[in-house]
Amino acid sequence: MKRCHKGILGVRKDPKNQILFSFSAREGEEWPSDDSDSDFLPSDEEDINLTRKRKKKSKGDNKQRSENPAVSADTMKKGVLCASLPEEIWNYIFQIVIKDSGPLPFLCRASKVCKMWHDLASRPLLWKKVDLSFGWIRAKQNTLKWLVKERLSQCTDLNLTSWTITNDQLKMVLRNCVELKGVNLTHCKKLSQDGFMALVDSCPNLEKLDVSFTSINVNAIKDIVTRHGPQLRELHIGGNYYLNFPALANSIFENCPCLEVLDVSNCRFSGDYVSLDVHKFQTGCTKLRVLRLGNSKFRLKKTNECLPGFEELTELSLGCLDSTKSGGINTAFVYDILLKSSKLKLLDLGGCWSMEDMTPLLSLPFTELEQLYLSSSPIRMNNLLGPLLQKCRHTLRILHIEKNIFSGDDLATGLQELFPPNSTSVLEMVNAAETNISQSSVEIILRHCQKLQYINLSSCRALPRGIKREYKNKEIAKLKSFCGIK
């Protein structure tokens, strides 16, 4: 019998550098393999095939041992590495591996190593947070049914993005996964209102829901919010078309006191603009941390009441790719939202052309901003880039100012505010594409930003030819060499 020269996952064996297994499933280069992970089909036939292979292998091993006892002893010593550790230790190692990257594809690969690992990888306790959107498991007719019954009985967070799941399949999932707290159904186009209504009665622990880019309507969301509102922490309903959205907004404000994340971006409404009662919003959702309203036509109702503000808000995204949808987002809109948001880390005002005077933003309480997006915005006309950057220069990591042509030396003066004398910046990413940034300003950024990982200089008319492109990681060293910076 010809000896196989390939080891686990098709990697060629090297006697000097033996590899047992790789725990870096999604990092680094993929190992070559004869078997595609996407072909993983849990079935009884797989176990039968494994049993047959083991029987054939055991017969061959017995024959070799009888011929050469010395080699057999060494082989046995090397072959018991998995079994030399108790199952509890391996189980603890598995939990560490899947903590950040999730159970897929690691558990699928680990189940093919040996019988012990197969048994460990089959434990539902390890399948708590499952992301099926990457395609590690091929979406066939009976695959989801098998997974739900054999692996996902203790699942608490399930991502089914872009799966062609039907109403009956969703009901089956909710019926068997009784511990579910988070459900992601983004781009599940086959689901109708009957399927979404199953979330009302069959998912009692629901805390996180994502139904972006689906056919869900206002009534279904209102029923979900009314039933699960007190425990709901994340609600993603962007990318959909809604009739009578103000009624849904009021239902959210009244029933979701613990809401932390609200995403209503990329929505289309039956009317022109949707007016939000900011006082009712801030009173009803006091724990809100993330608010995303980009590419949706919103405006705030005028009020004379004292606003409580969002004290826990860390992210506000109002960026619009289509300038026609930013008409309701003016300076007063942003000011009322951020009135008491001292913990703000991300601010996206890209494309908000209705903010003619951005001066009131300088008086807002945030001072530890980490991400600032000002692409194609009126910041170019207000001469406020410098004061705004000075306000958060000690914490700013990501800056987007692309598609802005500043007058005179406003851009150079503004960027200098990021770098006070005898100091270094924590800036990591700069997107200045399609701006009039000068070479001297680029050199200032390169000198002061020791942690710079990305800079985009595409279509910058004031730069010499040869450097008008984007640079990542090691390429930045080439840019420094071009500019004469060591």
Side-chain angles (χ1 to χ4, degrees):
M1 179 177 172
K2 189 176 179 180
R3 189 176 181 83
C4 180
H5 295 287
K6 289 188 177 181
I8 299 171
L9 299 178
V11 177
R12 189 173 296 277
K13 293 181 179 179
D14 185 356
K16 295 182 180 180
N17 300 305
Q18 295 187 3
I19 301 175
L20 176 63
F21 198 77
S22 170
F23 292 95
S24 300
R26 298 183 186 175
E27 297 179 3
E29 298 180 357
E30 289 288 337
W31 286 1
S33 174
D34 294 334
D35 298 325
S36 172
D37 293 317
S38 62
D39 293 333
F40 173 74
L41 293 175
S43 63
D44 297 334
E45 294 181 2
E46 181 179 319
D47 295 334
I48 295 173
N49 293 334
L50 288 173
T51 305
R52 289 176 181 173
K53 290 180 181 179
R54 287 179 189 134
K55 287 182 179 179
K56 291 180 180 180
K57 187 175 180 180
S58 61
K59 291 180 180 179
D61 291 343
N62 292 334
K63 187 176 180 180
Q64 290 180 0
R65 289 171 191 161
S66 60
E67 293 176 357
N68 194 340
V71 174
S72 177
D74 293 336
T75 303
M76 289 178 64
K77 288 181 180 178
K78 295 178 181 179
V80 294
L81 181 58
C82 290
S84 62
L85 293 177
E87 288 189 11
E88 293 75 12
I89 301 298
W90 282 118
N91 185 64
Y92 180 71
I93 294 174
F94 279 23
Q95 289 179 349
I96 294 176
V97 174
I98 68 176
K99 183 178 180 181
D100 296 325
S101 61
L104 297 175
F106 170 73
L107 292 183
C108 291
R109 295 174 175 177
S111 64
K112 299 180 180 181
V113 174
C114 65
K115 185 178 185 305
M116 178 191 291
W117 281 27
H118 181 273
D119 295 340
L120 287 172
S122 302
R123 294 181 177 180
L125 186 63
L126 297 176
W127 295 75
K128 287 281 190 180
K129 296 183 179 181
V130 181
D131 187 351
L132 297 175
S133 64
F134 280 92
W136 299 119
I137 292 180
R138 184 174 295 174
K140 290 193 175 182
Q141 185 175 2
N142 296 323
T143 303
L144 184 60
K145 183 178 180 180
W146 188 94
L147 282 171
V148 167
K149 292 185 177 181
E150 301 295 332
R151 297 289 187 271
L152 306 182
S153 59
Q154 299 183 34
C155 182
T156 60
D157 197 320
L158 182 61
N159 188 344
L160 292 169
T161 297
S162 298
W163 272 56
T164 54
I165 185 173
T166 62
N167 294 337
D168 292 336
Q169 288 176 325
L170 179 59
K171 292 177 182 179
M172 181 268 298
V173 170
L174 298 177
R175 188 167 54 250
N176 290 275
C177 303
V178 295
E179 298 183 16
L180 270 181
K181 295 183 178 180
V183 182
N184 191 333
L185 301 173
T186 305
H187 288 288
C188 292
K189 300 295 186 180
K190 285 192 174 183
L191 290 176
S192 65
Q193 306 314 310
D194 180 52
F196 292 121
M197 291 304 295
L199 293 166
V200 178
D201 300 319
S202 302
C203 196
N205 302 315
L206 188 64
E207 296 180 1
K208 298 187 293 183
L209 177 64
D210 193 336
V211 288
S212 304
F213 298 96
T214 60
S215 60
I216 195 168
N217 61 26
V218 166
N219 292 330
I221 301 178
K222 284 176 65 177
D223 290 340
I224 293 172
V225 167
T226 303
R227 173 66 175 83
H228 304 292
Q231 65 195 32
L232 208 60
R233 294 190 295 107
E234 294 188 17
L235 184 60
H236 303 261
I237 54 175
N240 301 322
Y241 176 78
Y242 296 110
L243 294 170
N244 193 20
F245 187 85
L248 173 58
N250 290 331
S251 180
I252 294 173
F253 303 159
E254 294 171 0
N255 295 285
C256 302
C258 298
L259 194 65
E260 298 178 6
V261 179
L262 179 61
D263 186 351
V264 201
S265 56
N266 300 295
C267 289
R268 292 168 292 118
F269 308 116
S270 55
D272 188 16
Y273 281 91
V274 172
S275 297
L276 299 177
D277 189 334
V278 63
H279 184 271
K280 195 172 185 178
F281 191 6
Q282 294 177 343
T283 304
C285 304
T286 58
K287 297 183 179 180
L288 196 69
R289 294 186 298 103
V290 177
L291 179 59
R292 297 169 185 155
L293 305 176
N295 285 314
S296 297
K297 290 186 175 182
F298 285 108
R299 59 188 174 196
L300 297 185
K301 288 183 179 179
K302 294 182 179 180
T303 178
N304 295 324
E305 299 179 88
C306 182
L307 298 176
F310 291 116
E311 296 184 357
E312 302 297 325
L313 196 68
T314 60
E315 176 183 334
L316 177 62
S317 180
L318 303 174
C320 293
L321 297 176
D322 185 357
S323 59
T324 60
K325 295 183 178 181
S326 65
I329 301 175
N330 51 27
T331 304
F333 186 111
V334 179
Y335 187 85
D336 289 345
I337 293 289
L338 300 178
L339 183 63
K340 296 184 180 180
S341 303
S342 59
K343 301 179 181 179
L344 193 69
K345 303 293 183 184
L346 185 151
L347 179 60
D348 184 0
L349 300 176
C352 296
W353 273 100
S354 296
M355 300 179 62
E356 297 179 357
D357 183 11
M358 303 178 72
T359 306
L361 299 185
L362 300 178
S363 62
L364 291 172
F366 61 85
T367 57
E368 298 182 352
L369 203 63
E370 296 181 1
Q371 302 181 45
L372 181 59
Y373 299 85
L374 297 171
S375 58
S376 187
S377 68
I379 192 72
R380 70 178 82 168
M381 300 181 296
N382 291 308
N383 197 21
L384 295 176
L385 180 62
L388 192 57
L389 294 180
Q390 184 181 19
K391 185 180 177 68
C392 53
R393 62 187 178 187
H394 59 290
T395 57
L396 193 64
R397 297 187 299 104
I398 299 176
L399 175 62
H400 282 244
I401 53 173
E402 67 270 21
K403 298 181 180 180
N404 287 310
I405 301 299
F406 295 82
S407 60
D409 296 330
D410 289 352
L411 178 56
T413 305
L415 290 175
Q416 287 179 352
E417 296 294 339
L418 275 174
F419 316 113
N422 302 322
S423 67
T424 57
S425 173
V426 295
L427 204 61
E428 298 176 4
M429 297 179 62
V430 178
N431 190 341
E434 300 182 43
T435 64
N436 55 337
I437 188 172
S438 63
Q439 184 172 345
S440 59
S441 296
V442 174
E443 292 175 359
I444 291 175
I445 293 174
L446 295 176
R447 285 194 180 95
H448 289 84
C449 301
Q450 302 299 325
K451 298 182 179 180
L452 193 66
Q453 300 176 4
Y454 174 87
I455 184 170
N456 191 346
L457 303 174
S458 303
S459 304
C460 293
R461 62 179 68 179
L463 296 179
R465 292 183 178 180
I467 65 172
K468 297 179 183 181
R469 65 181 184 89
E470 61 178 359
Y471 299 83
K472 300 177 182 178
N473 300 324
K474 295 181 180 180
E475 295 177 344
I476 294 177
K478 297 180 181 179
L479 180 59
K480 288 183 177 180
S481 177
F482 182 91
C483 296
I485 300 174
K486 296 182 179 180

